[in-house]
């Protein structure tokens, strides 16, 4: 074995170790999400509250992420010791460059592409949590299953999101347009919502649509996260760009359950369908605007002038 081969194998092993650590951290963080939906029926029975209150309880957990994501990104970007898992080859920011980081972060948030990515993540999270914050209750009503059964079915539907995220990585690596992936996923989520919230397919038909909603919807977050480094335009600003995306994600997690809980309490499940379909249409529009930004950027880059 040559020295070069040994170095390459060591580097490959280090990369896979990094991947394993990042996935483990993601799993640990995800364990904090989804507790309220499982307990929603018990909360209703024990406290005598309606879906509007349940939605507020579900949404309130994301407030910390909503207000803290960008500041956390700025802190990471300013740190002398970077998160070696993400950006080891980039030198730390020091001196005057560090002092202007907040101005750079503000300028980043004002640019069209980062803003559209943040809006898309907000719309995706709104659609996803509009359904999954109340899915155990919906399944209990439609299928007549126990709370434990509804929880297990909800977990199975949520697992479909993993498939969508992995598929997005594979498709992006093969050159599929990110804007096409986002638009197709948004359309599928909106169309699925019609059959989920409206009593047209029966309980099991609605559940299979939940699987589809979750799996195809998973194309969106992976695509947005993969786009973030390029949108940041510099390695130093990637943590801030990720903070912007998480701000959008948590905004959807806050507003989705609260809004859906309120409209369902007032007008029934059909009102939730209207909200999700409207969000899907807006996401498709945002994807189209993102494609226009890409086209404009390519045109400017190839302009001989």
């Amino acid at each position: 074995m040559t020295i070069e081969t040994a170095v390459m194998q060591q580097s490959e092993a280090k990369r896979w170790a990094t991947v394993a650590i990042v996935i483990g951290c993601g799993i640990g963080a995800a364990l904090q999400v989804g507790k309220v939906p499982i307990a929603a029926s018990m909360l209703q029975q024990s406290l005598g509250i309606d879906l509007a209150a349940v939605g507020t309880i579900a949404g309130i957990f994301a407030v910390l992420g909503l207000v803290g994501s960008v500041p956390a990104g700025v802190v990471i970007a300013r740190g002398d010791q970077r998160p070696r898992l993400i950006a080891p080859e980039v030198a730390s920011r020091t001196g005057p460059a560090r002092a202007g980081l907040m101005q750079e972060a503000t300028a980043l948030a004002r640019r069209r592409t980062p803003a559209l990515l943040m809006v898309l993540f907000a719309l995706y999270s709104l659609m996803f949590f509009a359904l999954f914050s109340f899915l155990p209750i919906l399944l209990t009503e439609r299928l007549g299953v126990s709370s434990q059964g509804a929880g297990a079915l909800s977990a199975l539907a949520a697992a479909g999101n993993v498939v969508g995220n992995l598929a997005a990585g594979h498709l992006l690596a093969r050159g599929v347009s990110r804007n096409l992936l986002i638009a197709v996923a948004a359309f599928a989520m909106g169309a699925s919502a019609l059959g989920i919230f409206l009593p047209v397919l029966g309980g099991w038909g609605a559940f299979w649509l939940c699987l589809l909603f979750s799996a195809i919807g998973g194309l969106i977050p992976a695509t947005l996260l993969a786009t973030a480094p390029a949108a940041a335009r510099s390695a130093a600003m990637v943590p801030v760009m990720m903070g912007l995306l998480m701000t959008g994600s948590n905004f959807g997690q806050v507003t989705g359950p609260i809004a859906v809980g309120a409209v369902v309490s007032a007008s029934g499940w059909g009102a939730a369908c209207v909200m999700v379909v409207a969000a899907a249409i807006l996401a498709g529009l945002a994807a189209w605007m993102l494609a226009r930004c890409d086209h404009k950027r390519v045109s400017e880059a190839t302009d001989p002038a």
Side-chain angles (χ1 to χ4, degrees), residues 29 32-33 55 58-72 117-126 129 133 242-258:
Q32 313 308 311
V33 180
I60 205 71
F61 283 93
V63 170
L64 180 61
L66 175 63
V67 299
S69 294
V70 171
L117 294 176
M118 182 171 63
V119 168
L120 279 166
F121 221 137
L123 291 169
Y124 163 77
S125 292
L126 188 153
F129 286 94
S133 294
M242 291 295 185
L244 289 174
L245 287 183
M246 292 303 101
T247 297
S249 175
N250 284 281
F251 181 81
Q253 292 181 49
V254 171
T255 57
I258 293 175

Side-chain angles (χ1 to χ4, degrees), residues 183-284:
V184 168
F187 174 81
M189 293 178 79
S192 298
L194 294 171
I196 293 171
F197 290 111
L198 299 178
V200 293
L201 295 178
W204 284 110
F207 173 71
W208 289 113
L209 282 180
C210 289
L211 286 174
L212 179 67
F213 179 98
S214 178
I216 298 186
L219 295 173
I220 296 179
T223 301
L224 296 177
L225 290 171
T227 303
R233 292 191 178 179
S234 71
M237 295 303 294
V238 170
V240 179
M241 185 65 235
M242 291 295 185
L244 289 174
L245 287 183
M246 292 303 101
T247 297
S249 175
N250 284 281
F251 181 81
Q253 292 181 49
V254 171
T255 57
I258 293 175
V260 169
V263 299
V264 170
S265 292
S267 306
W269 291 111
C273 172
V274 174
M275 285 191 57
V276 175
V277 170
I281 293 172
L282 290 175

Side-chain angles (χ1 to χ4, degrees), residues 39-263:
S41 296
M42 291 180 285
L43 289 173
Q44 283 185 296
Q45 296 171 5
S46 301
L47 303 179
I49 58 178
D50 60 8
L51 288 181
V54 171
T56 300
I57 295 172
I60 205 71
F61 283 93
V63 170
L64 180 61
L66 175 63
V67 299
S69 294
V70 171
V74 171
V75 168
I76 293 171
R78 291 183 63 177
D80 290 332
Q81 297 298 321
R82 286 188 165 274
R84 297 297 179 182
L85 293 175
I86 302 173
E89 72 283 357
V90 179
S92 301
R93 301 176 65 93
T94 57
R98 184 186 298 179
L101 189 59
M102 283 303 300
Q103 288 81 357
E104 292 183 38
T106 302
L108 179 68
R110 290 176 177 174
R111 293 214 317 266
R112 192 172 187 181
T113 295
L116 285 172
L117 294 176
M118 182 171 63
V119 168
L120 279 166
F121 221 137
L123 291 169
Y124 163 77
S125 292
L126 188 153
M127 291 188 286
F128 187 86
F129 286 94
L131 171 60
F132 277 83
S133 294
F134 303 97
L135 185 56
I137 294 177
L138 184 63
L139 292 176
T140 300
E141 292 183 6
R142 294 281 179 86
L143 297 177
V145 295
S146 65
S147 296
Q148 292 83 355
L153 291 173
S154 298
L156 178 60
N161 203 250
V162 176
V163 177
N165 277 269
L166 294 175
H170 177 73
L171 293 171
L172 289 170
R174 298 177 71 87
V176 178
S177 166
R178 65 174 182 180
N179 304 307
L180 177 63
L181 290 178
I182 294 170
V184 168
F187 174 81
M189 293 178 79
S192 298
L194 294 171
I196 293 171
F197 290 111
L198 299 178
V200 293
L201 295 178
W204 284 110
F207 173 71
W208 289 113
L209 282 180
C210 289
L211 286 174
L212 179 67
F213 179 98
S214 178
I216 298 186
L219 295 173
I220 296 179
T223 301
L224 296 177
L225 290 171
T227 303
R233 292 191 178 179
S234 71
M237 295 303 294
V238 170
V240 179
M241 185 65 235
M242 291 295 185
L244 289 174
L245 287 183
M246 292 303 101
T247 297
S249 175
N250 284 281
F251 181 81
Q253 292 181 49
V254 171
T255 57
I258 293 175
V260 169
V263 299

